[in-house]
Amino acid sequence: MDNLTLNFFDFHVWANEQIFKRLKELPEDTYQQKVESVFPSISSVLSHVYLSDLGWIEVFYGESMNYALKLAEQQKEQTEQTEGKNLEEMRLMFHGLAERYKLFLDQEQNLNKSIVIENPTGGIMETNVRELLTHIVNHGTYHRGNITAMLRQMGYASVPTDYGLYLFLKTNNR
């Protein structure tokens, strides 16, 4: 896989892990605490990111967008599948999903794999895994920002998860 795409995906995994580490440092109820925000709790933000990432890997493996959306909706409706998980269970789910992505992305031909997506609201789009991977990472970054805002609203500091810091730490083997 090319260096930029690999770095960018690894950043996504690293940044998610930083959020989980920070949440483990806080009182246990912080994870599911109700808050007036875009999402009702941090657990719902992480559930949303997980389900979105899950849907995209299914699309990468050849499933339709409709299938991916239905899978996410089914798991969302069954809150014990995602939002009902405790922090460590959700962290392990993210870890397992990252492993699925890495297995897929370790095959060089998959990075440029063409994908035709029929989006129920946007029509048909022809793209490739590389372009969608950028979307996946940006989507995660956006929602980690939601989590940061929610933590501050609850009176806690968050943790830096920006790409520049990731590159600095990686370059300096930290």
Side-chain angles (χ1 to χ4, degrees):
M1 177 176 349
D2 75 81
N3 212 19
L4 178 60
T5 304
L6 179 58
N7 275 340
F8 209 44
F9 181 74
D10 285 347
F11 155 70
H12 180 59
V13 174
W14 170 85
N16 286 336
E17 185 60 27
Q18 297 314 299
I19 291 292
F20 280 110
K21 284 179 185 176
R22 177 61 181 134
L23 290 170
K24 280 179 147 182
E25 297 169 351
L26 300 174
E28 190 175 325
D29 66 339
T30 303
Y31 177 62
Q32 302 218 357
Q33 182 177 330
K34 297 298 178 198
V35 62
E36 291 287 325
S37 188
V38 177
F39 288 87
S41 66
I42 291 172
S43 65
S44 16
V45 178
L46 287 172
S47 172
H48 171 75
V49 173
Y50 174 82
L51 292 172
S52 178
D53 287 4
L54 175 63
W56 283 116
I57 194 65
E58 294 294 333
V59 169
F60 289 177
Y61 275 110
E63 296 293 348
S64 70
M65 174 68 89
N66 279 335
Y67 172 85
L69 292 171
K70 284 178 186 173
L71 175 66
E73 192 57 37
Q74 287 170 350
Q75 291 210 358
K76 186 177 180 183
E77 286 173 1
Q78 299 173 356
T79 56
E80 70 276 1
Q81 296 292 320
T82 55
E83 283 187 56
K85 300 289 187 191
N86 68 37
L87 183 64
E88 182 60 16
E89 289 170 326
M90 184 58 86
R91 188 189 74 76
L92 291 173
M93 288 170 60
F94 267 82
H95 178 76
L97 191 52
E99 290 301 313
R100 281 188 70 194
Y101 269 90
K102 287 180 182 181
L103 283 171
F104 181 85
L105 295 170
D106 278 346
Q107 298 176 24
E108 183 68 33
Q109 74 274 11
N110 285 341
L111 196 56
N112 293 312
K113 179 181 176 182
S114 293
I115 298 177
V116 177
I117 296 173
E118 187 174 343
N119 187 314
T121 59
I124 294 178
M125 175 178 72
E126 292 183 37
T127 187
N128 62 45
V129 169
R130 181 188 315 271
E131 287 181 330
L132 288 171
L133 197 60
T134 301
H135 162 71
I136 291 163
V137 176
N138 282 333
H139 179 257
T141 299
Y142 176 81
H143 289 301
R144 285 186 294 273
N146 292 144
I147 292 170
T148 293
M150 292 166 87
L151 285 173
R152 288 188 178 147
Q153 188 177 345
M154 289 183 230
Y156 303 111
S158 188
V159 61
T161 59
D162 64 292
Y163 187 60
L165 176 62
Y166 164 77
L167 290 175
F168 175 79
L169 294 172
K170 183 177 176 176
T171 301
N172 292 295
N173 296 317
R174 292 185 183 171

